[in-house]
């Protein structure tokens, strides 16, 4: 309890702990050479120990919970983006604006229609999924049949992003809006037991996001739909030859990507504020999470989003919060210099 309330008791214990953690980290790293995800996990744990030595467990844990909450938003957005890329090879620059669309859909349902917030979230996820399916049927699939190239798809996704963004701005202006949720409370047991302050809304976003991410990972790993998605990711033509209904799998891919984008948008709007540029501002960290985890790898996107959120928030222990995003991207660059394919990147996608 003393550690939580006032950091490490004295400098000697901190130095001893740092030395022990350094020796343990070197020993573990020497045994797991070539296993990038495990190495990244060990480095993250070692970084956690170093930060505790300098700042105390309370401050590091508090920033860590906030980082995981933010990282869960990145991960929710990144999973949908990387699924679409892995299967359709579509770099969808409009994905961030799907988050904005979901956030405003929940706003309409909760504020204008006075529906319960849980129902508003479900409505936002369903409506964003329908938008994704509509875009697939009306735009992406016809363009694939006509043999459109990478450049055409990129330009269309950028144009679509502006259409969605300015469409929202046309109806709701650029005014900052909020769901009106009570953000004054904090997670009681963390504050009472450990002295850690975490807002209730951030706590709900963290727990809810992690649950959805775990369920998504299990679905991709163990269900027939998840296996078919992996098959399409490996070779779409071969999967179709093998008898898989690729059109149906692609439709479900958009359902999953759209619903998770809608959920990520609502989560982002709940812990910040709603504005037409909400998703655009999140798009770069979401792309970073995709690249960090390994492009086209859904499990990598999950881990990449959470890791990016942790690094960004932990960096505020040393630098002003205005520079935290730069630190996060600095780490991204360092990882890519060492491992260009990302932490989870393999020849086999998803």
């Amino acid at each position: 309890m003393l550690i939580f309330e006032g950091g490490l008791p004295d400098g000697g214990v901190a130095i001893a702990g740092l030395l022990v953690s350094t020796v343990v980290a070197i020993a573990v790293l020497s045994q797991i050479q070539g296993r990038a995800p495990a190495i990244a996990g060990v480095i993250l744990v070692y970084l956690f120990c170093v930060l505790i030595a300098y700042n105390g467990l309370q401050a590091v844990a508090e920033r860590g919970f906030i980082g995981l909450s933010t990282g869960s938003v990145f991960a929710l957005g990144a999973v949908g983006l990387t699924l679409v890329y892995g299967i359709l090879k579509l770099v969808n620059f409009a994905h961030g604006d799907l988050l904005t669309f979901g956030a405003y859909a929940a706003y309409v349902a909760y504020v204008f229609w006075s529906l319960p917030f849980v129902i508003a979230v479900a409505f936002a996820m369903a409506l964003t999924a329908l938008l994704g399916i509509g875009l697939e049927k009306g735009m992406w699939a016809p363009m694939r049949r006509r043999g459109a190239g990478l450049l055409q798809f990129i330009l269309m996704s950028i144009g679509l992003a502006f259409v969605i963004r300015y469409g929202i701005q046309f109806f709701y202006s650029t005014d900052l809006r909020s769901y009106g949720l009570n953000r004054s409370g904090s997670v009681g047991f963390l504050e009472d037991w450990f002295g850690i302050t975490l807002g209730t809304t951030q706590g709900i976003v963290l727990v809810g996001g992690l649950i959805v991410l775990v369920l998504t990972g299990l679905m991709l790993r163990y269900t027939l739909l998840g296996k078919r998605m992996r098959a399409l990711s490996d070779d779409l033509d071969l999967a179709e030859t093998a008898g898989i209904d690729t059109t149906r799998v692609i439709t479900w891919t958009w359902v999953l990507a759209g619903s998770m984008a809608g959920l990520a948008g609502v989560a982002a709007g709940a812990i910040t504020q709603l504005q037409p540029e909400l998703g655009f501002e999140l798009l770069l960290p979401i792309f970073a999470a995709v690249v960090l985890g390994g492009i086209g790898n859904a499990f990598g996107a999950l881990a990449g989003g959470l890791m990016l959120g942790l690094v960004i928030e932990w960096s505020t222990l040393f630098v002003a919060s205005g520079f935290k995003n730069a630190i996060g991207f600095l780490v991204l660059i360092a990882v890519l210099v060492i491992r260009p394919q990302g932490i989870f990147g393999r020849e086999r996608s998803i």
Side-chain angles (χ1 to χ4, degrees), residues 7 102 163 202 300 324:
V163 169
Q202 285 183 315
K324 63 181 183 181

mmCIF file of all heavy atoms in Angstrom, residues 7 102 163 202 300 324:
data_model
loop_
_atom_site.group_PDB
_atom_site.id
_atom_site.type_symbol
_atom_site.label_atom_id
_atom_site.label_comp_id
_atom_site.label_asym_id
_atom_site.label_seq_id
_atom_site.Cartn_x
_atom_site.Cartn_y
_atom_site.Cartn_z
ATOM 1 N N GLY A 7 4.892 6.124 -4.051
ATOM 2 C CA GLY A 7 6.005 5.685 -4.848
ATOM 3 C C GLY A 7 6.873 4.754 -4.034
ATOM 4 O O GLY A 7 6.552 4.370 -2.916
ATOM 5 N N GLY A 102 -20.806 6.752 -36.651
ATOM 6 C CA GLY A 102 -21.351 5.992 -35.531
ATOM 7 C C GLY A 102 -21.553 6.847 -34.293
ATOM 8 O O GLY A 102 -22.566 6.714 -33.588
ATOM 9 N N VAL A 163 -17.063 13.293 -48.116
ATOM 10 C CA VAL A 163 -18.532 13.304 -48.254
ATOM 11 C C VAL A 163 -19.190 13.038 -46.898
ATOM 12 O O VAL A 163 -20.129 13.746 -46.492
ATOM 13 C CB VAL A 163 -18.975 12.247 -49.288
ATOM 14 C CG1 VAL A 163 -20.491 12.069 -49.241
ATOM 15 C CG2 VAL A 163 -18.540 12.659 -50.686
ATOM 16 N N GLN A 202 -14.314 6.463 -18.597
ATOM 17 C CA GLN A 202 -13.113 5.817 -19.145
ATOM 18 C C GLN A 202 -13.034 4.357 -18.711
ATOM 19 O O GLN A 202 -12.604 3.494 -19.482
ATOM 20 C CB GLN A 202 -11.866 6.568 -18.697
ATOM 21 C CG GLN A 202 -11.655 7.882 -19.441
ATOM 22 C CD GLN A 202 -10.380 8.569 -19.044
ATOM 23 O OE1 GLN A 202 -10.071 8.654 -17.864
ATOM 24 N NE2 GLN A 202 -9.643 9.077 -20.010
ATOM 25 N N GLY A 300 -2.795 -8.563 -34.509
ATOM 26 C CA GLY A 300 -1.774 -7.522 -34.388
ATOM 27 C C GLY A 300 -2.390 -6.149 -34.185
ATOM 28 O O GLY A 300 -1.872 -5.335 -33.417
ATOM 29 N N LYS A 324 2.660 13.971 -26.512
ATOM 30 C CA LYS A 324 2.524 12.532 -26.308
ATOM 31 C C LYS A 324 2.297 11.767 -27.602
ATOM 32 O O LYS A 324 2.797 10.644 -27.768
ATOM 33 C CB LYS A 324 1.397 12.231 -25.308
ATOM 34 C CG LYS A 324 0.015 12.653 -25.750
ATOM 35 C CD LYS A 324 -1.001 12.324 -24.662
ATOM 36 C CE LYS A 324 -2.416 12.664 -25.104
ATOM 37 N NZ LYS A 324 -3.402 12.372 -24.025
#
